[in-house]
Amino acid sequence: MYFFYFSVMKNAVYSLLFLLVTVFGYTQDKPLLPTGVIIDSVKVAAAPTESYAIYFPKKYDGKTPLAVVFIFEPAARGREGIAPFIPAAETYQYILVCSNTLKNGSTQNNIGIANRLFDAVLENYTIDTSQLYIAGFSGGARLASYFGISTGVFQGVIACGASFNDMDKFIPPSNNFSYVGMVGDRDMNYLEMTENKTWLDNAKIVNTLFIAHYEHAWPKPSQMLRAFDWLELQAYRKNIRPKNDTVLKRIYDSNMRIADSLKANNEMILSVNAYERGITFLNTTDDNFIRAKISEIKKSKPYKEETAKTEKIKVLENEILDKLWHRFDQELKSAKPVTNFKFWKSEINDLNVMKADDNNPLTQNMAVRILNWFQVSVYETGQEYKRNQQNDKFAYCQELYKMITETN
């Protein structure tokens, strides 16, 4: 399985690198399409059954090479994938491209679709190939993360609601890219994303993690703009874009305003994260001021208390997840049909009690994450058994899923 996975991925890397080497040979006139609107469906010439949505910022002239963001939407909804990125595209002049064909499913098929998409866009539009970015949500984030870590051609990855597949972490990383993780504190993949940040830090990949109050969904446009503010700072650091003092001041002021607001709301961990993103690494007086502010917060009692509670919740969440998955696995292995689901009803009732506890938001968020994770896990496991025609296991998953959705 590992050999097959890496053979497929290796071929994808070679295809993309070949494309980037040869794309400079194209000299034909580039078509100028409408700007400032999402163009829903552009056909891929090499595969007429495939298409993509595209967005050109209002100032695009068809002649000046612009940065591009390739976006993977897990349900192949090009318009929905592009929408969260539009304010960032207008602010920093990015072309946005999202496949209408690539969706959660076969990795091998998606690699082929992605390569044809890269080919079509780089051949037909005026792209600055030193400023390629790749983004995705959920399963799309996993594919985007793979291309970021393995190819060495993308300057940035924006991964929303999911991180790498575990196998991808065996690939020696190309450290040229910057990684933005984005996740809601009620997202079923929240723990995965926080643990992924630790892995990125250890791998010495420049990264940040935005956490906001939502479940498993695309981030809001205002949140996506903040992600691109951070990527702009990394572009200055790597000399990909010329430093702009006006932009620097706006980013600094925005981060300070958000961080101050979070601190006033006693969200100490998120406030520290926001302050940290205001550090430009350009050794300015403002950077030193922010570092001093972060140091002060980390010494405070509220920060230490919140950190301790967060760690305690993390331990409890892992314990509950392990218990649920072990029981689920054991019942799937059993030939005996389960009809009353007594154990599951008790567990879900306990989680629903936590979910309703407005006085303990950290516990409340944890319960929402676990319930959503388990519901999705049972559904996806059942679909796998259905595809493999293991009808007894599929029937069990169906009944358990029905009970969960009725209770949750």
Side-chain angles (χ1 to χ4, degrees), residues 253-266 271 274-275 289 293 297:
D253 290 344
S254 174
N255 273 292
M256 290 299 288
R257 184 170 59 253
I258 291 168
D260 289 345
S261 174
L262 289 166
K263 182 184 176 187
N265 201 36
N266 290 319
S271 74
Y275 284 125
F289 173 75
K293 206 169 185 67
I297 293 172

Side-chain angles (χ1 to χ4, degrees), residues 2 4 22 60 65 79 126 140 151 180 210 219 297 300 308 314 322:
Y2 284 119
F4 171 76
T22 58
Y60 178 69
R79 175 175 286 272
T126 309
T151 64
V180 180
F210 287 86
I297 293 172
S300 70
K314 178 181 176 180
D322 287 345

Side-chain angles (χ1 to χ4, degrees), residues 290-308:
I290 293 173
R291 288 189 177 95
K293 206 169 185 67
I294 291 170
S295 178
E296 178 187 350
I297 293 172
K298 286 186 173 180
K299 292 176 184 176
S300 70
K301 184 178 178 181
Y303 177 83
K304 291 177 179 178
E305 288 177 345
E306 185 181 347
T307 302

Side-chain angles (χ1 to χ4, degrees), residues 185-401:
D185 57 7
R186 294 190 166 201
D187 191 314
M188 60 189 176
N189 291 328
Y190 169 82
L191 268 188
E192 170 192 318
M193 294 295 282
T194 57
E195 291 168 357
N196 179 58
K197 187 179 190 323
T198 301
W199 181 85
L200 288 163
D201 290 340
N202 291 336
K204 300 189 184 308
I205 296 171
V206 176
N207 72 93
T208 191
L209 177 62
F210 287 86
I211 299 172
H213 303 310
Y214 60 96
E215 295 189 22
H216 193 61
W218 276 107
K220 294 178 181 178
S222 59
Q223 294 164 343
M224 193 64 75
L225 177 57
R226 291 181 62 205
F228 277 83
D229 287 345
W230 183 83
L231 286 170
E232 187 75 2
L233 296 181
Q234 309 319 305
Y236 295 164
R237 184 175 60 84
K238 293 187 283 186
N239 295 316
I240 298 168
R241 292 188 173 209
K243 188 179 75 167
N244 184 315
D245 289 334
T246 302
V247 172
L248 274 173
K249 185 177 187 311
R250 181 186 62 76
I251 294 173
Y252 173 82
D253 290 344
S254 174
N255 273 292
M256 290 299 288
R257 184 170 59 253
I258 291 168
D260 289 345
S261 174
L262 289 166
K263 182 184 176 187
N265 201 36
N266 290 319
E267 297 185 76
M268 296 301 183
I269 295 176
L270 292 183
S271 74
V272 166
N273 293 345
Y275 284 125
E276 287 176 340
R277 280 188 288 271
I279 297 175
T280 63
F281 304 101
L282 301 174
N283 297 317
T284 65
T285 302
D286 290 337
D287 285 356
N288 293 332
F289 173 75
I290 293 173
R291 288 189 177 95
K293 206 169 185 67
I294 291 170
S295 178
E296 178 187 350
I297 293 172
K298 286 186 173 180
K299 292 176 184 176
S300 70
K301 184 178 178 181
Y303 177 83
K304 291 177 179 178
E305 288 177 345
E306 185 181 347
T307 302
K309 287 178 182 177
T310 300
E311 188 59 33
K312 187 176 179 181
I313 288 292
K314 178 181 176 180
V315 171
L316 176 60
E317 186 165 359
N318 278 316
E319 288 175 354
I320 295 173
L321 290 172
D322 287 345
K323 177 175 68 172
L324 296 183
W325 186 257
H326 177 73
R327 179 64 177 247
F328 182 49
D329 185 55
Q330 289 300 111
E331 291 190 359
L332 281 170
K333 290 176 180 177
S334 172
K336 299 176 182 178
V338 179
T339 55
N340 60 20
F341 295 115
K342 182 178 179 180
F343 170 84
W344 296 113
K345 288 177 181 177
S346 175
E347 291 295 319
I348 291 171
N349 180 67
D350 290 345
L351 288 166
N352 278 325
V353 170
M354 297 180 197
K355 179 180 173 181
D357 187 0
D358 294 333
N359 294 321
N360 292 288
L362 293 178
T363 303
Q364 193 175 48
N365 291 343
M366 177 198 71
V368 173
R369 294 193 294 264
I370 293 173
L371 286 164
N372 289 341
W373 168 84
F374 193 61
Q375 184 169 323
V376 170
S377 296
V378 171
Y379 175 81
E380 290 183 345
T381 302
Q383 292 305 302
E384 183 66 22
Y385 285 127
K386 182 180 180 181
R387 285 189 289 270
N388 295 334
Q389 297 183 337
Q390 293 180 265
N391 295 329
D392 55 339
K393 290 179 170 53
F394 170 57
Y396 163 78
C397 290
Q398 268 193 313
E399 288 301 311
L400 180 56
Y401 180 74

Side-chain angles (χ1 to χ4, degrees), residues 13-220:
V13 174
Y14 289 161
S15 175
L16 180 58
L17 292 176
F18 175 78
L19 173 61
L20 291 171
V21 169
T22 58
V23 71
F24 294 102
Y26 294 104
T27 57
Q28 73 269 32
D29 292 336
K30 309 297 182 184
L32 184 60
L33 296 175
T35 63
V37 295
I38 298 174
I39 302 166
D40 278 319
S41 186
V42 182
K43 298 290 185 184
V44 175
T49 59
E50 298 173 9
S51 71
Y52 57 91
I54 192 164
Y55 180 92
F56 299 100
K58 294 173 183 176
K59 294 181 181 178
Y60 178 69
D61 59 12
K63 299 176 182 178
T64 306
L66 291 188
V68 64
V69 184
F70 291 100
I71 303 164
F72 299 150
E73 212 284 330
R77 302 171 301 174
R79 175 175 286 272
E80 283 79 359
I82 282 176
F85 293 82
I86 289 176
E90 291 294 346
T91 301
Y92 293 117
Q93 298 303 291
Y94 285 84
I95 296 170
L96 307 174
V97 177
C98 185
S99 174
N100 287 318
T101 311
L102 188 153
K103 60 184 177 181
N104 282 356
S106 165
T107 300
Q108 185 176 12
N109 289 344
N110 281 335
I111 288 171
I113 294 167
N115 279 328
R116 288 187 288 274
L117 177 67
F118 299 147
D119 197 346
V121 170
L122 293 173
E123 284 182 17
N124 288 296
Y125 309 109
T126 309
I127 304 297
D128 181 349
T129 54
S130 70
Q131 295 193 68
L132 302 181
Y133 292 79
I134 194 161
F137 166 58
S138 197
R142 299 196 192 284
L143 190 61
S145 297
Y146 161 72
F147 278 111
I149 199 172
S150 62
T151 64
V153 300
F154 291 100
Q155 290 297 337
V157 174
I158 304 96
C160 308
S163 61
F164 298 94
N165 288 302
D166 287 339
M167 287 181 287
D168 295 339
K169 294 183 178 182
F170 290 100
I171 302 171
S174 165
N175 289 339
N176 294 325
F177 68 98
S178 305
Y179 191 97
V180 180
M182 306 185 77
V183 69
D185 57 7
R186 294 190 166 201
D187 191 314
M188 60 189 176
N189 291 328
Y190 169 82
L191 268 188
E192 170 192 318
M193 294 295 282
T194 57
E195 291 168 357
N196 179 58
K197 187 179 190 323
T198 301
W199 181 85
L200 288 163
D201 290 340
N202 291 336
K204 300 189 184 308
I205 296 171
V206 176
N207 72 93
T208 191
L209 177 62
F210 287 86
I211 299 172
H213 303 310
Y214 60 96
E215 295 189 22
H216 193 61
W218 276 107
K220 294 178 181 178

